[in-house]
C-alpha cells in the first residue's frame, strides 16, 4: 500500500509484532487511525496476518542499533514489546542492552513518545529479591523512562485473554485437574487484567501529553488469589467444583515442571510466571484513567474476561497465542535447498504417494495436520517423542494449533513452527523440539503430468557434531513406521475426505498403528 492508503495519524513503530500482545496491538492502532511500521527479525512471519498489507515492515533486531535507527526514521511513537526471557542465563544483560539501544535511538530520531508493557511488581519488596523476570522488566522500564523521550510504562500482572500464557496455564490446570495438590502461591493475591483493556491502554498512550513520563499500574476490578481464579474459572466454564489443596514444599522450580506437565506451557516459560506469583501483585493506582478514560463497563471483571476468552477459544478465533513468539533458542538456520549444501551433511527421508482424490482434498488434510487432528502416523511414537521433549525442557506436543483448519507463517504447530506455506501446494515446518541440529518437514500437494494428484513428503535433518549423526542413525530404523505411515495415512485421509465431502480427522486415518 502507498502511504496515502494508510491512516493519517502519527507513524508508530511496533516491536514484538510477531508476539502475543504485539500481534493484537497492530490492528488496534490501525483501527485508531494511526500508521504502523513493524520491526521484525523475520518479516516473513508477518506476511499472512490479515493486517500485513496495511503496515510497513522493516527487518531488524532491537539489539542492533543500526537496524533500530533505520526503523525509527519518521516515527513519532515507539512501542517496546520485546524481552529476552528464556534466551539463557544472561537474558537480563540482553534486555538491558536492547532497552538502552532503543531509548538512545529513539532520542536521536526525535520520537515524542515511547510506550512499554512491563510487569506489575510488589510494593515494599527490594528489587534484588524479585524473580529475574520481574527484575528485568522493572529495569527495562527505568532505562526507557531515563532515555530522554517521554515514556509510559504500563505494568500488568496476569493478562487474561484467549491464547495468553497466563490464561492457558489457568485454563489447563483447572480443566484437567478436578483435584489439585498445588504450590502455596495459589494463595497469593493477584489483580488480573483482560487483554482487551491492556490493548485499550496501549493505544490510548499514543495520545498522552508530552510531559507524562511515568509508570501506570493497569488491572481489572477484581483482586483474587490464584485459587479463587481457578474456582471462578471452573464456574464460568461450567465445570464441576474443583478441590484445591495447597502444600508448602513445591518450590518455583518444581512448580514450573508441574505446570509444564499439565499444561501446554513449557517449564521454561512457566517458571517466570510462577516465580512472579510468589508476591502479591496488586495495583496501587489507576491514574491511567485520567488520560485514557474507562468506557462504561470497563475495565472488564475477571469472570467477563474469562467468558470472552473462552468464547474465542471455542469459536476458533484466537488471533495470537503465547507461542506466537519465536521459541528462545530455536534454530534459525536457512533451509538447505541442495543435498550437496556446503554447510555439511544433510540427511533426508523422502516419501511419495499417488492420491485418488482432487488436490484440494489433499491440501485440506495437509493444512489441517497437527493439534487435535493428529499427525496421521503411529500415535504412540509421536506421543513418546513429545513426552521426551517435555522431560528435557522442550515444548512437546501440547502447543497444538492456533486455528483448527488454517495455518499461517509463524504459527506454532505442536513442536513445529510453520516456516513457509504456499496455499494449495506446500507446507514447510521447522522443528522446535530439542534436537542436535535443525530439522524440517515438508509436505506437498501436487498434480503430475497425467493430471493425477500426488503427495510428496520430505524430512530433512542437518546434524551438528557426532551427536547429531548418532541421533539420525538411531531413529532412522523407525522412519518407515513414522514417516511412511504418515504418507500413507495422509493419502487415505484425502481420499476419504473426497468421498465424504468433509475433512477427516486422525481417528479415521491411523490404521497403520
Amino acid at each position: 500500500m502507498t502511504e496515502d492508503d494508510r491512516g493519517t495519524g502519527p507513524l508508530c513503530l511496533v516491536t514484538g509484532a510477531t508476539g502475543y500482545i504485539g500481534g493484537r496491538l497492530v490492528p488496534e492502532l490501525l483501527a485508531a487511525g494511526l500508521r504502523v511500521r513493524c520491526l521484525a527479525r523475520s518479516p516473513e512471519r508477518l506476511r499472512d496476518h490479515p493486517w500485513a498489507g496495511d503496515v510497513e515492515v522493516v527487518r531488524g533486531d532491537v539489539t542492533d542499533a543500526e537496524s533500530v535507527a533505520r526503523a525509527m526514521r519518521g516515527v513519532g511513537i515507539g512501542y517496546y514489546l520485546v524481552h529476552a526471557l528464556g534466551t539463557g542465563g544472561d537474558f537480563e544483560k540482553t534486555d538491558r542492552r536492547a532497552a538502552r539501544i532503543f531509548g538512545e535511538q529513539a532520542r536521536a530520531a526525535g520520537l515524542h513518545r515511547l510506550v512499554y508493557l512491563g510487569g506489575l511488581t510488589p510494593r515494599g519488596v527490594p528489587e534484588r529479591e524479585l524473580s529475574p523476570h520481574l527484575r528485568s522488566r522493572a529495569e527495562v522500564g527505568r532505562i526507557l523512562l531515563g532515555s530522554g523521550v517521554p515514556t509510559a510504562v504500563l505494568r500488568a500482572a496476569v493478562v487474561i485473554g484467549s491464547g495468553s500464557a497466563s490464561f492457558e496455564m489457568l485454563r489447563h490446570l483447572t480443566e484437567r485437574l478436578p483435584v489439585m495438590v498445588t504450590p502455596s502461591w495459589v494463595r497469593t493475591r493477584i489483580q488480573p487484567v483482560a487483554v482487551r483493556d491492556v490493548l485499550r491502554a496501549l493505544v490510548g498512550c499514543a495520545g498522552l501529553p508530552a510531559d507524562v513520563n511515568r509508570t501506570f499500574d493497569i488491572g481489572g476490578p477484581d483482586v483474587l488469589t490464584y485459587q479463587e481464579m481457578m474456582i471462578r474459572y471452573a464456574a464460568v466454564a461450567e465445570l464441576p467444583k474443583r478441590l484445591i489443596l495447597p502444600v508448602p514444599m513445591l518450590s518455583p522450580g518444581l512448580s514450573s515442571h508441574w505446570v509444564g506437565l499439565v499444561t501446554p506451557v513449557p517449564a521454561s516459560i512457566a517458571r517466570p510466571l510462577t516465580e512472579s506469583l510468589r508476591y502479591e501483585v496488586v495495583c496501587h493506582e489507576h491514574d491511567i484513567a485520567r488520560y485514557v478514560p474507562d468506557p462504561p463497563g470497563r475495565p472488564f471483571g475477571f469472570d467477563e474476561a474469562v467468558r470472552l476468552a473462552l468464547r474465542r477459544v471455542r469459536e476458533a478465533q484466537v488471533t495470537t497465542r503465547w507461542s506466537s513468539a519465536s521459541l528462545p533458542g530455536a534454530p534459525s538456520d536457512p533451509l538447505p535447498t541442495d543435498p550437496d549444501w556446503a554447510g555439511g551433511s544433510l540427511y533426508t527421508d523422502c516419501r511419495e504417494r499417488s492420491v485418488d482424490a482432487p488436490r484440494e482434498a489433499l491440501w485440506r488434510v495437509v493444512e489441517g495436520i497437527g493439534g487435535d487432528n493428529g499427525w496421521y502416523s503411529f500415535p504412540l511414537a509421536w506421543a513418546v517423542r513429545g513426552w521426551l521433549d517435555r522431560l528435557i525442557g522442550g515444548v512437546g506436543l501440547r502447543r497444538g494449533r492456533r486455528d483448527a483448519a488454517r495455518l499461517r507463517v509463524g504459527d506454532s504447530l505442536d513442536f513445529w513452527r510453520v516456516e513457509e506455506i504456499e496455499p494449495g501446494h506446500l507446507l514447510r515446518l521447522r522443528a522446535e523440539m530439542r534436537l542436535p541440529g535443525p530439522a524440517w518437514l515438508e509436505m506437498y500437494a501436487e498434480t503430475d503430468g497425467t493430471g493425477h494428484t500426488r503427495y510428496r513428503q520430505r524430512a530433512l535433518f542437518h546434524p551438528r557434531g557426532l551427536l547429531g549423526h548418532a541421533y539420525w542413525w538411531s531413529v532412522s530404523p523407525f522412519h518407515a513406521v513414522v514417516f511412511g505411515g504418515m504418507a500413507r495415512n495422509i493419502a487415505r485421509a484425502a481420499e476419504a475426505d473426497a468421498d465424504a465431502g468433509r475433512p477427516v480427522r486422525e481417528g479415521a486415518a491411523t490404521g497403520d498403528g
Side-chain angles (χ1 to χ4, degrees), residues 14-232:
V14 176
T15 62
T18 59
Y20 178 73
I21 292 292
R24 297 186 180 213
L25 176 63
V26 169
E28 296 293 328
L29 292 172
L30 293 171
L34 300 170
R35 294 176 294 135
V36 177
R37 177 183 295 157
C38 299
L39 177 67
R41 286 177 295 177
S42 303
E44 59 275 7
R45 288 187 51 196
L46 299 177
R47 185 191 71 194
D48 297 331
H49 285 262
W51 41 260
D54 299 325
V55 303
E56 300 176 59
V57 181
V58 175
R59 184 183 298 273
D61 190 285
V62 289
T63 60
D64 175 20
E66 185 178 342
S67 66
V68 172
R70 185 170 59 251
M72 284 185 172
R73 290 171 188 159
V75 168
I77 304 159
Y79 283 90
Y80 194 77
L81 303 173
V82 295
H83 59 85
L85 180 66
T87 57
D90 61 348
F91 80 88
E92 290 181 86
K93 181 179 178 181
T94 303
D95 272 341
R96 185 181 308 122
R97 176 169 165 255
R100 284 175 178 164
I101 288 173
F102 198 80
E104 290 167 359
Q105 295 304 320
R107 182 175 182 179
L111 270 69
H112 61 258
R113 168 65 55 196
L114 295 181
V115 184
Y116 169 60
L117 179 62
L120 188 60
T121 55
R123 177 169 290 187
V125 177
E127 195 168 294
R128 64 179 180 276
E129 296 182 13
L130 297 176
S131 69
H133 165 62
L134 279 181
R135 188 168 61 233
S136 183
R137 291 292 184 94
E139 183 182 22
V140 167
R142 283 200 310 276
I143 291 171
L144 295 178
L145 286 167
S147 66
V149 178
T151 298
V153 175
L154 303 184
R155 307 193 310 165
V158 171
V159 176
I160 302 297
S162 60
S164 77
S166 296
F167 178 72
E168 291 293 289
M169 193 170 97
L170 173 68
R171 179 165 77 97
H172 284 84
L173 284 175
T174 309
E175 291 184 355
R176 291 179 174 175
L177 299 176
V179 178
M180 287 175 270
V181 177
T182 59
S184 57
W185 50 253
V186 299
R187 290 177 174 166
T188 301
R189 294 202 320 154
I190 307 160
Q191 192 162 352
V193 59
V195 67
R196 297 190 187 197
D197 287 317
V198 174
L199 295 172
R200 180 173 57 83
L202 286 168
V203 173
C205 283
L208 289 176
D211 61 347
V212 175
N213 186 65
R214 55 163 292 183
T215 64
F216 292 98
D217 293 353
I218 56 174
D222 300 308
V223 177
L224 308 164
T225 66
Y226 204 90
Q227 179 172 334
E228 290 170 333
M229 288 169 59
M230 288 190 284
I231 292 171
R232 287 174 63 164

Side-chain angles (χ1 to χ4, degrees), residues 246-382:
V247 294
M249 69 279 297
L250 284 176
S251 66
L254 289 175
S255 296
S256 64
H257 287 292
W258 169 67
V259 171
L261 287 172
V262 176
T263 80
V265 182
S268 59
I269 294 176
R271 177 153 191 161
L273 293 177
T274 56
E275 284 181 335
S276 301
L277 297 174
R278 288 188 299 164
Y279 299 105
E280 179 177 285
V281 278
V282 174
C283 298
H284 292 280
E285 44 85 6
H286 188 52
D287 294 349
I288 189 66
R290 291 165 47 194
Y291 305 99
V292 186
D294 295 327
R298 305 286 286 273
F300 287 115
F302 175 79
D303 291 358
E304 183 62 16
V306 167
R307 193 172 292 111
L308 290 168
L310 281 175
R311 188 175 70 191
R312 289 284 188 181
V313 170
R314 290 165 180 169
E315 293 177 355
Q317 294 182 346
V318 180
T319 55
T320 63
R321 299 179 68 216
W322 62 270
S323 55
S324 299
S326 295
L327 181 71
S332 57
D333 307 32
L335 172 69
T337 56
D338 190 325
D340 297 323
W341 183 49
S345 302
L346 180 66
Y347 292 118
T348 62
D349 180 279
C350 300
R351 310 278 168 171
E352 195 166 337
R353 304 283 298 186
S354 178
V355 183
D356 186 18
R359 197 171 85 172
E360 294 77 12
L362 174 58
W363 178 251
R364 282 196 295 271
V365 175
V366 169
E367 191 177 11
I369 202 164
D372 292 339
N373 301 340
W375 288 90
Y376 297 92
S377 186
F378 186 31
L380 181 60
W382 286 89

Side-chain angles (χ1 to χ4, degrees), residues 361-377 382 397 400-407 411-416 418 421 427-429 441-443 455 457 482-483 485-487 489-491 493 503-506 509:
L362 174 58
W363 178 251
R364 282 196 295 271
V365 175
V366 169
E367 191 177 11
I369 202 164
D372 292 339
N373 301 340
W375 288 90
Y376 297 92
S377 186
W382 286 89
L397 282 172
R401 299 173 53 107
R402 178 189 57 84
D403 185 291
R406 297 287 178 263
L407 293 174
D411 272 0
S412 60
L413 182 59
D414 292 327
F415 46 40
W416 305 88
V418 179
I421 185 167
L427 175 62
R428 179 185 299 139
L429 307 176
L441 178 62
E442 292 183 328
M443 290 166 275
Y455 171 69
Q457 175 181 296
V482 176
F483 292 130
M486 176 185 292
N489 288 326
I490 284 177
V504 177
R505 303 308 189 201
E506 186 192 21

